[in-house]
Amino acid sequence: MKEYTRAQLSLRNGQDREEIWCAYQGKIYDVSESRLWRDGKHYEHWAGQDLTDELPDAPHTEKVFKKFTIIGTIK
């Protein structure tokens, strides 16, 4: 599986490129097709970053990531 730096992940924020990615527990997910991540923002969460520490405050569990394709991992 391809490894990406945090800097590479940050460019996939829905603003700088078309890809919208976010990370959770070291895995990077492509959320580009989700209408909930339009323009790289999902409520108070921003794409292009690791959301591991933010998930405990979300109204859903990590099972939500099963809907998305894993692109790679964070170096």
Side-chain angles (χ1 to χ4, degrees):
M1 189 165 290
K2 187 166 179 174
E3 289 185 324
Y4 294 89
T5 64
R6 290 186 185 274
Q8 289 172 310
L9 172 62
S10 71
L11 293 175
R12 275 63 175 204
N13 61 12
Q15 306 295 310
D16 299 314
R17 296 188 181 177
E18 289 185 21
E19 299 102 344
I20 303 174
W21 296 357
C22 61
Y24 177 70
Q25 292 188 340
K27 295 177 184 161
I28 300 172
Y29 295 86
D30 184 349
V31 297
S32 303
E33 298 298 317
S34 174
R35 63 177 175 77
L36 298 175
W37 278 98
R38 192 160 308 190
D39 299 322
K41 187 170 191 298
H42 175 62
Y43 297 99
E44 70 275 359
H45 307 291
W46 292 92
Q49 61 182 328
D50 187 342
L51 301 176
T52 301
D53 292 339
E54 297 181 30
L55 192 71
D57 296 328
H60 53 72
T61 66
E62 72 255 6
K63 290 181 183 178
V64 72
F65 289 103
K66 290 183 180 185
K67 299 177 185 178
F68 304 110
T69 302
I70 298 173
I71 297 300
T73 59
I74 296 177
K75 280 188 184 180

Short mmCIF file of all heavy atoms in Angstrom, two decimals, residues 28-74:
data_model
loop_
_atom_site.label_atom_id
_atom_site.label_comp_id
_atom_site.label_asym_id
_atom_site.label_seq_id
_atom_site.Cartn_x
_atom_site.Cartn_y
_atom_site.Cartn_z
N ILE A 28 -5.45 6.20 5.07
CA ILE A 28 -5.98 7.35 4.34
C ILE A 28 -7.16 6.88 3.50
O ILE A 28 -7.04 5.92 2.73
CB ILE A 28 -4.91 7.99 3.46
CG1 ILE A 28 -3.75 8.48 4.33
CG2 ILE A 28 -5.50 9.15 2.65
CD1 ILE A 28 -2.55 8.97 3.54
N TYR A 29 -8.27 7.58 3.63
CA TYR A 29 -9.51 7.23 2.94
C TYR A 29 -9.87 8.29 1.91
O TYR A 29 -9.73 9.49 2.17
CB TYR A 29 -10.65 7.11 3.94
CG TYR A 29 -10.47 5.98 4.92
CD1 TYR A 29 -9.74 6.15 6.10
CD2 TYR A 29 -11.01 4.73 4.67
CE1 TYR A 29 -9.57 5.12 7.00
CE2 TYR A 29 -10.84 3.68 5.57
CZ TYR A 29 -10.12 3.88 6.73
OH TYR A 29 -9.95 2.86 7.61
N ASP A 30 -10.39 7.85 0.77
CA ASP A 30 -10.88 8.76 -0.26
C ASP A 30 -12.38 9.00 0.00
O ASP A 30 -13.19 8.09 -0.15
CB ASP A 30 -10.68 8.16 -1.64
CG ASP A 30 -11.08 9.08 -2.77
OD1 ASP A 30 -11.72 10.13 -2.50
OD2 ASP A 30 -10.76 8.77 -3.92
N VAL A 31 -12.72 10.21 0.40
CA VAL A 31 -14.12 10.56 0.69
C VAL A 31 -14.68 11.48 -0.39
O VAL A 31 -15.72 12.11 -0.20
CB VAL A 31 -14.26 11.18 2.10
CG1 VAL A 31 -13.87 10.18 3.17
CG2 VAL A 31 -13.44 12.46 2.24
N SER A 32 -14.01 11.55 -1.55
CA SER A 32 -14.39 12.45 -2.63
C SER A 32 -15.82 12.28 -3.11
O SER A 32 -16.48 13.25 -3.49
CB SER A 32 -13.46 12.26 -3.84
OG SER A 32 -12.12 12.44 -3.49
N GLU A 33 -16.32 11.06 -3.12
CA GLU A 33 -17.66 10.78 -3.65
C GLU A 33 -18.77 11.07 -2.65
O GLU A 33 -19.95 11.07 -3.01
CB GLU A 33 -17.74 9.33 -4.12
CG GLU A 33 -16.79 9.00 -5.24
CD GLU A 33 -17.07 9.81 -6.50
OE1 GLU A 33 -18.25 9.98 -6.86
OE2 GLU A 33 -16.10 10.29 -7.12
N SER A 34 -18.44 11.35 -1.42
CA SER A 34 -19.45 11.58 -0.39
C SER A 34 -19.99 13.00 -0.47
O SER A 34 -19.23 13.97 -0.43
CB SER A 34 -18.87 11.35 1.00
OG SER A 34 -19.81 11.71 1.98
N ARG A 35 -21.30 13.13 -0.57
CA ARG A 35 -21.91 14.46 -0.58
C ARG A 35 -21.71 15.16 0.76
O ARG A 35 -21.76 16.38 0.84
CB ARG A 35 -23.39 14.38 -0.92
CG ARG A 35 -24.22 13.62 0.09
CD ARG A 35 -25.71 13.62 -0.26
NE ARG A 35 -26.45 12.81 0.67
CZ ARG A 35 -26.77 13.17 1.90
NH1 ARG A 35 -26.42 14.35 2.35
NH2 ARG A 35 -27.45 12.36 2.69
N LEU A 36 -21.42 14.40 1.80
CA LEU A 36 -21.20 14.98 3.12
C LEU A 36 -19.83 15.63 3.26
O LEU A 36 -19.58 16.34 4.23
CB LEU A 36 -21.39 13.91 4.20
CG LEU A 36 -22.79 13.29 4.27
CD1 LEU A 36 -22.82 12.17 5.28
CD2 LEU A 36 -23.82 14.36 4.59
N TRP A 37 -18.94 15.38 2.30
CA TRP A 37 -17.61 15.97 2.34
C TRP A 37 -17.41 16.99 1.23
O TRP A 37 -16.30 17.31 0.85
CB TRP A 37 -16.53 14.88 2.22
CG TRP A 37 -16.27 14.23 3.53
CD1 TRP A 37 -16.77 13.05 3.99
CD2 TRP A 37 -15.43 14.73 4.58
NE1 TRP A 37 -16.30 12.79 5.25
CE2 TRP A 37 -15.48 13.81 5.64
CE3 TRP A 37 -14.65 15.87 4.73
CZ2 TRP A 37 -14.76 13.99 6.81
CZ3 TRP A 37 -13.94 16.05 5.90
CH2 TRP A 37 -14.00 15.11 6.93
N ARG A 38 -18.50 17.52 0.69
CA ARG A 38 -18.43 18.51 -0.38
C ARG A 38 -17.51 19.66 0.02
O ARG A 38 -17.57 20.14 1.13
CB ARG A 38 -19.83 19.04 -0.68
CG ARG A 38 -19.89 19.84 -1.94
CD ARG A 38 -21.28 19.92 -2.42
NE ARG A 38 -21.77 18.54 -2.47
CZ ARG A 38 -22.89 18.17 -3.01
NH1 ARG A 38 -23.68 19.04 -3.54
NH2 ARG A 38 -23.25 16.91 -3.02
N ASP A 39 -16.66 20.07 -0.87
CA ASP A 39 -15.69 21.16 -0.65
C ASP A 39 -14.71 20.87 0.48
O ASP A 39 -14.09 21.79 1.02
CB ASP A 39 -16.41 22.49 -0.38
CG ASP A 39 -17.27 22.92 -1.56
OD1 ASP A 39 -16.85 22.71 -2.72
OD2 ASP A 39 -18.36 23.46 -1.33
N GLY A 40 -14.60 19.60 0.89
CA GLY A 40 -13.58 19.23 1.88
C GLY A 40 -13.96 19.50 3.32
O GLY A 40 -13.10 19.43 4.20
N LYS A 41 -15.22 19.78 3.58
CA LYS A 41 -15.65 20.06 4.95
C LYS A 41 -16.84 19.17 5.30
O LYS A 41 -17.75 19.01 4.50
CB LYS A 41 -16.04 21.53 5.10
CG LYS A 41 -16.33 21.93 6.53
CD LYS A 41 -16.48 23.43 6.63
CE LYS A 41 -16.51 23.92 8.04
NZ LYS A 41 -17.58 23.46 8.88
N HIS A 42 -16.82 18.60 6.48
CA HIS A 42 -17.91 17.76 6.98
C HIS A 42 -18.22 18.24 8.40
O HIS A 42 -17.48 17.94 9.33
CB HIS A 42 -17.49 16.29 6.97
CG HIS A 42 -18.48 15.35 7.58
ND1 HIS A 42 -19.74 15.19 7.08
CD2 HIS A 42 -18.40 14.54 8.66
CE1 HIS A 42 -20.39 14.29 7.82
NE2 HIS A 42 -19.59 13.89 8.79
N TYR A 43 -19.26 19.06 8.51
CA TYR A 43 -19.58 19.73 9.77
C TYR A 43 -18.36 20.51 10.23
O TYR A 43 -17.88 21.35 9.48
CB TYR A 43 -20.11 18.74 10.80
CG TYR A 43 -21.40 18.09 10.33
CD1 TYR A 43 -21.39 16.82 9.75
CD2 TYR A 43 -22.61 18.77 10.45
CE1 TYR A 43 -22.58 16.24 9.29
CE2 TYR A 43 -23.80 18.19 9.99
CZ TYR A 43 -23.77 16.93 9.41
OH TYR A 43 -24.92 16.37 8.96
N GLU A 44 -17.80 20.25 11.38
CA GLU A 44 -16.64 21.02 11.84
C GLU A 44 -15.31 20.32 11.52
O GLU A 44 -14.26 20.73 11.98
CB GLU A 44 -16.72 21.32 13.34
CG GLU A 44 -16.55 20.11 14.23
CD GLU A 44 -17.83 19.32 14.49
OE1 GLU A 44 -18.90 19.69 13.99
OE2 GLU A 44 -17.73 18.31 15.19
N HIS A 45 -15.35 19.28 10.71
CA HIS A 45 -14.15 18.52 10.34
C HIS A 45 -13.68 18.91 8.95
O HIS A 45 -14.50 19.12 8.05
CB HIS A 45 -14.43 17.02 10.39
CG HIS A 45 -15.03 16.58 11.68
ND1 HIS A 45 -14.34 16.57 12.87
CD2 HIS A 45 -16.28 16.17 11.98
CE1 HIS A 45 -15.12 16.15 13.84
NE2 HIS A 45 -16.31 15.91 13.32
N TRP A 46 -12.38 18.98 8.77
CA TRP A 46 -11.79 19.34 7.49
C TRP A 46 -11.02 18.17 6.91
O TRP A 46 -10.33 17.46 7.63
CB TRP A 46 -10.85 20.53 7.68
CG TRP A 46 -11.58 21.77 8.04
CD1 TRP A 46 -11.85 22.22 9.30
CD2 TRP A 46 -12.20 22.69 7.15
NE1 TRP A 46 -12.58 23.37 9.24
CE2 TRP A 46 -12.81 23.69 7.93
CE3 TRP A 46 -12.29 22.78 5.76
CZ2 TRP A 46 -13.50 24.76 7.37
CZ3 TRP A 46 -12.98 23.85 5.20
CH2 TRP A 46 -13.57 24.82 6.00
N ALA A 47 -11.13 17.99 5.60
CA ALA A 47 -10.38 16.95 4.90
C ALA A 47 -8.91 17.35 4.82
O ALA A 47 -8.54 18.49 5.10
CB ALA A 47 -10.96 16.76 3.50
N GLY A 48 -8.09 16.39 4.42
CA GLY A 48 -6.68 16.65 4.28
C GLY A 48 -5.91 16.51 5.58
O GLY A 48 -4.77 16.93 5.68
N GLN A 49 -6.54 15.90 6.57
CA GLN A 49 -5.88 15.74 7.86
C GLN A 49 -6.26 14.42 8.52
O GLN A 49 -7.17 13.73 8.05
CB GLN A 49 -6.20 16.90 8.78
CG GLN A 49 -7.68 17.05 9.09
CD GLN A 49 -7.96 18.26 9.97
OE1 GLN A 49 -7.14 18.63 10.79
NE2 GLN A 49 -9.10 18.87 9.78
N ASP A 50 -5.59 14.10 9.60
CA ASP A 50 -5.86 12.89 10.37
C ASP A 50 -6.99 13.21 11.35
O ASP A 50 -6.88 14.12 12.17
CB ASP A 50 -4.60 12.47 11.12
CG ASP A 50 -4.74 11.14 11.83
OD1 ASP A 50 -5.88 10.68 12.05
OD2 ASP A 50 -3.71 10.56 12.16
N LEU A 51 -8.08 12.47 11.26
CA LEU A 51 -9.26 12.71 12.10
C LEU A 51 -9.35 11.76 13.29
O LEU A 51 -10.37 11.73 13.97
CB LEU A 51 -10.53 12.59 11.24
CG LEU A 51 -10.60 13.55 10.05
CD1 LEU A 51 -11.86 13.27 9.25
CD2 LEU A 51 -10.57 15.00 10.52
N THR A 52 -8.31 11.02 13.56
CA THR A 52 -8.33 10.02 14.63
C THR A 52 -8.74 10.64 15.97
O THR A 52 -9.60 10.10 16.66
CB THR A 52 -6.95 9.34 14.77
OG1 THR A 52 -6.64 8.71 13.52
CG2 THR A 52 -6.97 8.29 15.86
N ASP A 53 -8.17 11.76 16.33
CA ASP A 53 -8.47 12.38 17.63
C ASP A 53 -9.85 13.02 17.67
O ASP A 53 -10.39 13.29 18.74
CB ASP A 53 -7.42 13.43 17.98
CG ASP A 53 -6.06 12.80 18.26
OD1 ASP A 53 -6.01 11.59 18.57
OD2 ASP A 53 -5.05 13.52 18.15
N GLU A 54 -10.45 13.29 16.50
CA GLU A 54 -11.75 13.94 16.45
C GLU A 54 -12.92 12.96 16.49
O GLU A 54 -14.04 13.34 16.81
CB GLU A 54 -11.84 14.82 15.19
CG GLU A 54 -10.83 15.95 15.20
CD GLU A 54 -10.92 16.82 13.98
OE1 GLU A 54 -12.02 16.97 13.41
OE2 GLU A 54 -9.88 17.38 13.58
N LEU A 55 -12.68 11.71 16.15
CA LEU A 55 -13.78 10.75 16.05
C LEU A 55 -14.56 10.54 17.35
O LEU A 55 -15.78 10.40 17.29
CB LEU A 55 -13.30 9.41 15.50
CG LEU A 55 -14.46 8.50 15.10
CD1 LEU A 55 -15.15 9.01 13.85
CD2 LEU A 55 -14.00 7.10 14.91
N PRO A 56 -13.93 10.54 18.51
CA PRO A 56 -14.71 10.34 19.74
C PRO A 56 -15.84 11.38 19.92
O PRO A 56 -16.84 11.09 20.58
CB PRO A 56 -13.68 10.46 20.86
CG PRO A 56 -12.40 10.04 20.21
CD PRO A 56 -12.49 10.57 18.80
N ASP A 57 -15.72 12.55 19.31
CA ASP A 57 -16.74 13.59 19.42
C ASP A 57 -17.80 13.48 18.33
O ASP A 57 -18.77 14.23 18.35
CB ASP A 57 -16.09 14.97 19.36
CG ASP A 57 -15.16 15.21 20.54
OD1 ASP A 57 -15.44 14.69 21.64
OD2 ASP A 57 -14.16 15.93 20.36
N ALA A 58 -17.62 12.58 17.38
CA ALA A 58 -18.56 12.44 16.27
C ALA A 58 -19.78 11.62 16.70
O ALA A 58 -19.69 10.79 17.60
CB ALA A 58 -17.87 11.76 15.09
N PRO A 59 -20.92 11.82 16.01
CA PRO A 59 -22.12 11.07 16.35
C PRO A 59 -22.16 9.67 15.75
O PRO A 59 -23.18 9.01 15.79
CB PRO A 59 -23.24 11.94 15.79
CG PRO A 59 -22.62 12.63 14.63
CD PRO A 59 -21.18 12.87 15.04
N HIS A 60 -21.05 9.22 15.17
CA HIS A 60 -20.98 7.89 14.57
C HIS A 60 -19.68 7.21 15.01
O HIS A 60 -18.81 7.84 15.58
CB HIS A 60 -21.04 7.98 13.04
CG HIS A 60 -20.05 8.91 12.45
ND1 HIS A 60 -18.69 8.66 12.40
CD2 HIS A 60 -20.21 10.15 11.91
CE1 HIS A 60 -18.07 9.66 11.84
NE2 HIS A 60 -18.96 10.59 11.54
N THR A 61 -19.55 5.95 14.71
CA THR A 61 -18.35 5.18 15.08
C THR A 61 -17.40 5.11 13.89
O THR A 61 -17.71 5.61 12.80
CB THR A 61 -18.72 3.75 15.50
OG1 THR A 61 -19.25 3.07 14.35
CG2 THR A 61 -19.74 3.74 16.63
N GLU A 62 -16.29 4.44 14.08
CA GLU A 62 -15.32 4.28 12.99
C GLU A 62 -15.85 3.41 11.87
O GLU A 62 -15.27 3.36 10.78
CB GLU A 62 -13.99 3.72 13.51
CG GLU A 62 -14.04 2.27 13.89
CD GLU A 62 -14.05 2.02 15.39
OE1 GLU A 62 -14.13 2.97 16.18
OE2 GLU A 62 -13.97 0.84 15.75
N LYS A 63 -16.95 2.73 12.08
CA LYS A 63 -17.54 1.90 11.02
C LYS A 63 -17.89 2.72 9.78
O LYS A 63 -18.00 2.17 8.69
CB LYS A 63 -18.77 1.17 11.54
CG LYS A 63 -18.44 0.09 12.54
CD LYS A 63 -19.67 -0.63 13.02
CE LYS A 63 -19.30 -1.65 14.08
NZ LYS A 63 -20.47 -2.33 14.61
N VAL A 64 -18.06 4.02 9.94
CA VAL A 64 -18.37 4.88 8.81
C VAL A 64 -17.28 4.82 7.74
O VAL A 64 -17.55 4.97 6.55
CB VAL A 64 -18.61 6.34 9.28
CG1 VAL A 64 -17.32 7.02 9.71
CG2 VAL A 64 -19.29 7.15 8.22
N PHE A 65 -16.04 4.54 8.15
CA PHE A 65 -14.94 4.48 7.19
C PHE A 65 -15.01 3.26 6.28
O PHE A 65 -14.37 3.23 5.23
CB PHE A 65 -13.58 4.53 7.92
CG PHE A 65 -13.30 5.89 8.50
CD1 PHE A 65 -13.44 6.11 9.85
CD2 PHE A 65 -12.91 6.94 7.69
CE1 PHE A 65 -13.19 7.36 10.40
CE2 PHE A 65 -12.67 8.20 8.21
CZ PHE A 65 -12.81 8.40 9.57
N LYS A 66 -15.79 2.26 6.63
CA LYS A 66 -15.94 1.08 5.78
C LYS A 66 -16.58 1.41 4.43
O LYS A 66 -16.45 0.66 3.48
CB LYS A 66 -16.77 0.00 6.49
CG LYS A 66 -16.03 -0.61 7.65
CD LYS A 66 -16.84 -1.72 8.28
CE LYS A 66 -16.05 -2.31 9.45
NZ LYS A 66 -16.74 -3.46 10.03
N LYS A 67 -17.25 2.56 4.35
CA LYS A 67 -17.90 3.00 3.12
C LYS A 67 -16.90 3.51 2.08
O LYS A 67 -17.24 3.67 0.92
CB LYS A 67 -18.88 4.13 3.41
CG LYS A 67 -20.00 3.79 4.33
CD LYS A 67 -20.84 5.02 4.58
CE LYS A 67 -21.92 4.76 5.60
NZ LYS A 67 -22.72 5.96 5.86
N PHE A 68 -15.67 3.81 2.52
CA PHE A 68 -14.72 4.50 1.67
C PHE A 68 -13.51 3.63 1.32
O PHE A 68 -13.14 2.74 2.07
CB PHE A 68 -14.26 5.79 2.36
CG PHE A 68 -15.40 6.70 2.72
CD1 PHE A 68 -15.76 6.89 4.04
CD2 PHE A 68 -16.14 7.34 1.73
CE1 PHE A 68 -16.82 7.71 4.37
CE2 PHE A 68 -17.21 8.15 2.05
CZ PHE A 68 -17.55 8.33 3.38
N THR A 69 -12.89 3.94 0.20
CA THR A 69 -11.72 3.23 -0.27
C THR A 69 -10.48 3.71 0.47
O THR A 69 -10.28 4.91 0.64
CB THR A 69 -11.54 3.50 -1.78
OG1 THR A 69 -12.72 3.09 -2.47
CG2 THR A 69 -10.33 2.75 -2.33
N ILE A 70 -9.64 2.77 0.88
CA ILE A 70 -8.37 3.11 1.49
C ILE A 70 -7.37 3.40 0.36
O ILE A 70 -7.15 2.56 -0.51
CB ILE A 70 -7.83 1.98 2.39
CG1 ILE A 70 -8.81 1.73 3.54
CG2 ILE A 70 -6.45 2.32 2.91
CD1 ILE A 70 -8.47 0.52 4.40
N ILE A 71 -6.81 4.59 0.38
CA ILE A 71 -5.86 5.05 -0.64
C ILE A 71 -4.45 4.66 -0.28
O ILE A 71 -3.62 4.37 -1.12
CB ILE A 71 -5.95 6.59 -0.78
CG1 ILE A 71 -7.34 7.00 -1.26
CG2 ILE A 71 -4.89 7.13 -1.72
CD1 ILE A 71 -7.74 6.44 -2.59
N GLY A 72 -4.13 4.70 1.01
CA GLY A 72 -2.78 4.40 1.46
C GLY A 72 -2.67 4.60 2.96
O GLY A 72 -3.67 4.59 3.68
N THR A 73 -1.44 4.81 3.40
CA THR A 73 -1.18 5.02 4.83
C THR A 73 -0.32 6.27 5.00
O THR A 73 0.30 6.75 4.06
CB THR A 73 -0.44 3.82 5.44
OG1 THR A 73 0.80 3.62 4.75
CG2 THR A 73 -1.27 2.55 5.37
N ILE A 74 -0.29 6.78 6.23
CA ILE A 74 0.54 7.93 6.54
C ILE A 74 1.93 7.45 6.92
O ILE A 74 2.07 6.51 7.71
CB ILE A 74 -0.06 8.75 7.70
CG1 ILE A 74 -1.40 9.33 7.29
CG2 ILE A 74 0.88 9.87 8.13
CD1 ILE A 74 -2.10 10.09 8.39
#
